[in-house]
Amino acid sequence: MKRIICAFISCLSAFSMSATAASYDLVTANADKTGQANMSSNTNNAYVRGFVFGMGSDWFFPTIQGGDGSRASLPANVLLNSLSITLRNTTLFNLIVLSGDPTTAGTSNVVGFTSVKNNDNGTGTWSFADGLLLDTTETYTFLFTSISDASGWTSSSTVGNTGQQQGIKVATMGTSVPPSSGYPAGEGLYTNTGGFSTSFASVIRMDVSQVPEPSTAVLGLFGLSTLMLRRRR
């Protein structure tokens, strides 16, 4: 009986979590589904080292995967499954995600790191197997790097250190992205020279999902089953 109850609870929990977790696409605003619309070539800023943006920024257009394509509201926390950028060449580097201010030594923290990447038909994709937990109210820095693991970013590391940040060449750059109102304060991209640009942006796509949470019903069943087990003892 005990084994049956435990198996039943596990199945219900798994079903509840998978059923309530929505998945979203975040695409740079003003870009179409392929990430090519309203873009013009700009070779001066074609190499980028990284991006600074808020997950809830208005230069991203979030939609629910499989939905009607209308703008969706993101939950407070999401899991980042992958980030994709249209490329001009095949060179890919590792990706490190930081919170805080990476321009000043000792004021940034490593949130995530991945060396899992691929180039499929000119699209570079960096993946997080278990999802990277991010706060949609926070601003993060995504840097392309030659360091081999997260410990390579030390308290003395800063943006502009050419030994750690590496440029990737993106295929589409233009003034239509971000929106005509410009980036929100503090957001933009790092060019290959280490400078910070708020005039140009690459098309970025992110696959994120809602953090799964057990439903109230499952929690209630768990409590009831626990009482039943204690009575049998």
Side-chain angles (χ1 to χ4, degrees):
M1 183 67 179
K2 179 179 178 181
R3 289 181 180 179
I4 294 174
I5 292 173
C6 290
F8 179 66
I9 293 171
S10 298
C11 291
L12 276 176
S13 298
F15 174 77
S16 174
M17 287 183 178
S18 61
T20 58
S23 295
Y24 304 84
D25 283 320
L26 273 69
V27 182
T28 318
N30 298 333
D32 67 7
K33 293 295 183 183
T34 63
Q36 301 295 322
N38 301 322
M39 303 298 291
S40 61
S41 175
N42 183 282
T43 56
N44 292 330
N45 290 311
Y47 280 96
V48 296
R49 289 189 185 180
F51 303 86
V52 182
F53 56 81
M55 295 296 294
S57 172
D58 63 5
W59 64 283
F60 281 110
F61 190 89
T63 60
I64 295 178
Q65 293 179 6
D68 60 6
S70 60
R71 178 182 283 272
S73 297
L74 294 175
N77 296 286
V78 294
L79 294 173
L80 174 63
N81 302 310
S82 64
L83 176 144
S84 300
I85 300 173
T86 306
L87 301 172
R88 249 186 166 158
N89 61 6
T90 58
T91 303
L92 297 179
F93 295 95
N94 298 333
L95 179 67
I96 192 166
V97 183
L98 305 165
S99 63
D101 180 11
T103 64
T104 304
T107 60
S108 61
N109 298 303
V110 176
V111 176
F113 178 92
T114 182
S115 59
V116 180
K117 52 192 179 295
N118 64 57
N119 187 336
D120 183 18
N121 294 323
T123 299
T125 300
W126 289 259
S127 302
F128 296 88
D130 299 320
L132 177 63
L133 181 63
L134 297 177
D135 184 335
T136 55
T137 65
E138 295 292 328
T139 298
Y140 296 97
T141 300
F142 286 58
L143 291 179
F144 305 109
T145 177
S146 58
I147 62 177
S148 59
D149 57 58
S151 64
W153 186 268
T154 66
S155 60
S156 61
S157 298
T158 61
V159 170
N161 181 339
T162 55
Q164 292 185 319
Q165 288 84 63
Q166 300 294 331
I168 63 168
K169 194 169 187 179
V170 296
T172 52
M173 308 288 289
T175 55
S176 294
V177 181
S180 58
S181 58
Y183 284 89
E187 297 185 18
L189 66 88
Y190 290 103
T191 66
N192 198 45
T193 60
F196 193 65
S197 172
T198 58
S199 299
F200 296 92
S202 173
V203 173
I204 303 172
R205 298 189 67 180
M206 288 185 286
D207 177 348
V208 303
S209 55
Q210 183 179 359
V211 179
E213 296 179 357
S215 69
T216 303
V218 169
L219 291 175
L221 283 171
F222 179 80
L224 179 61
S225 301
T226 302
L227 287 174
M228 290 172 63
L229 289 173
R230 293 181 72 176
R231 282 189 175 185
R232 286 181 58 84
R233 292 175 184 171

